Amino acid sequence: MSTVLVTGASGFVGSHVVPELISGGHQVLALVRSGAAGRQVLERLPVAARDRVDVRTGEVNDPAGLGPALAGADGIVHLVALARDRSAGRELNRVNVEGTRNVINAAEAAGIRRLVHLGALGVVDDPRLHYASSKARAEQLVRASALDWTILKPSLMWGERDGFFNIVAGLVRISPGVVPVPGDGRTRFQPLAVSDGAVAIRWSIERPATIGASYDLGGPRYWTYREITQEVLRGMGRRRLVVPVPVPLILLVAGTAEKLRIPFPVATDQLRQLKLDNVGPLGAYEAAFGIAPSEMAGNLGYLARKRRDQEPGRS
């Protein structure tokens, strides 16, 4: 048993990692940005498990507050990251890169050596791709540190309270009989169940053999964007016509929405990222962790409920 600080404990991945760590007998220090987020972390857990969590309030971009937050930790699971911004990558850099730098520095100052860092599959340090570049540079910082690090790089993760699949489901709900897919819809992904991602994180904390290793994490098959949209429809029990829409047209609309600060399901940066497949070797997860990852097909029924109703105890 160890005491593990989890950054981003109230987020989508964190909401699955915290109970997984508890199930392994670990004590969790849940780093959150507010009291409300801390209460949410606890409310998602069974009452009997709540005494295994100590909520710590702080931010990865507040170096002064990270020291006290780390007190008593044996290791860190670093999950905090933004997927998009409306500032041409500046906020992505601030949180994903500089936030990671702050966590590494705070760990080294506190004498904490163990770090499991959640990266992302298929990212490259290309300044035209703001998210991918920020995640690639964060990974470079982890590799260059003096910590005993493990890097886990998942493709899209699915599960209750996810981001990507709930965004597609939201488009389905407002669509007038059709649902758009960018371009030809052939960009490939390798969706991984967030529960499998949480297991990989726990096992990485527990297994010294993972130190200094980086793992590509994907599910058991490749899915195109079009196939994912069709599977979302299946999970929701809805029927829609899936219609390809030229990427330049969506870029125009998304760019206008960003300039006007109007909510839009996808960011221009995310659309540019669609030029690249988001896949790794099939079988890599099972080879690394000894179990087969979950099949996504037939398991997106949670999308029939809105994201807010996917919280534990709500229906």
Side-chain angles (χ1 to χ4, degrees):
M1 183 188 79
S2 60
T3 299
V4 183
L5 181 121
V6 179
T7 72
S10 64
F12 161 54
V13 179
S15 71
H16 295 268
V17 168
V18 169
E20 179 63 33
L21 288 170
I22 292 171
S23 75
H26 302 281
Q27 189 76 21
V28 174
L29 307 179
L31 184 65
V32 295
R33 296 177 63 188
S34 67
R39 289 189 293 274
Q40 188 176 52
V41 169
L42 296 175
E43 289 167 358
R44 287 169 170 163
L45 296 171
V47 173
R50 294 175 185 175
D51 64 353
R52 303 298 301 276
V53 177
D54 182 4
V55 174
R56 304 278 174 93
T57 303
E59 297 188 31
V60 297
N61 289 107
D62 176 19
L66 280 175
L70 287 171
D74 301 309
I76 302 168
V77 171
H78 181 41
L79 304 178
V80 167
L82 293 180
R84 60 184 288 181
D85 69 10
R86 295 184 175 87
S87 59
R90 290 187 295 275
E91 191 69 3
L92 288 165
N93 181 74
R94 188 182 75 87
V95 175
N96 297 356
V97 181
E98 296 308 317
T100 298
R101 190 192 309 275
N102 292 337
V103 169
I104 291 169
N105 290 341
E108 291 177 342
I112 299 169
R113 295 198 56 82
R114 193 70 178 101
L115 172 69
V116 174
H117 173 74
L118 191 68
L121 186 63
V123 296
V124 292
D125 188 5
D126 182 340
R128 296 169 298 179
L129 303 173
H130 301 151
Y131 169 76
S133 178
S134 71
K135 291 296 287 183
R137 283 181 286 132
E139 182 178 322
Q140 291 165 11
L141 290 174
V142 173
R143 290 177 180 275
S145 75
L147 303 180
D148 294 334
W149 52 262
T150 303
I151 298 172
L152 302 176
K153 303 173 67 171
S155 183
L156 297 174
M157 284 197 279
W158 57 271
E160 292 183 335
R161 302 178 297 283
D162 66 44
F164 181 87
F165 298 90
N166 270 289
I167 288 174
V168 177
L171 283 173
V172 170
R173 290 189 182 94
I174 65 173
S175 67
V178 299
V179 58
V181 297
D184 59 14
R186 293 181 182 176
T187 303
R188 296 184 303 161
F189 301 88
Q190 196 179 351
L192 180 76
V194 68
S195 57
D196 291 329
V199 167
I201 288 169
R202 175 172 67 83
W203 285 10
S204 295
I205 280 287
E206 295 172 351
R207 299 180 177 185
T210 66
I211 292 173
S214 176
Y215 298 95
D216 289 347
L217 302 184
R221 60 161 283 192
Y222 301 143
W223 294 73
T224 66
Y225 198 117
R226 187 183 188 94
E227 290 170 336
I228 287 173
T229 303
Q230 292 166 334
E231 187 63 23
V232 168
L233 287 165
R234 177 186 176 193
M236 298 177 71
R238 303 286 185 94
R239 295 175 64 88
R240 295 287 191 277
L241 182 64
V242 179
V243 178
V245 177
V247 171
L249 177 59
I250 304 179
L251 275 168
L252 177 62
V253 177
T256 302
E258 288 173 6
K259 289 178 181 178
L260 298 177
R261 299 283 177 171
I262 298 172
F264 193 72
V266 294
T268 53
D269 183 50
Q270 292 170 318
L271 291 166
R272 289 189 292 269
Q273 185 72 35
L274 289 177
K275 295 178 181 178
L276 303 175
D277 285 340
N278 187 247
V279 299
L282 291 174
Y285 182 97
E286 186 169 5
F289 300 102
I291 57 174
S294 304
E295 294 280 354
M296 187 175 76
N299 286 313
L300 299 186
Y302 63 92
L303 295 174
R305 294 170 281 138
K306 293 183 178 181
R307 187 176 182 181
R308 65 173 178 269
D309 295 325
Q310 295 166 20
E311 294 286 343
R314 300 187 67 174
S315 61

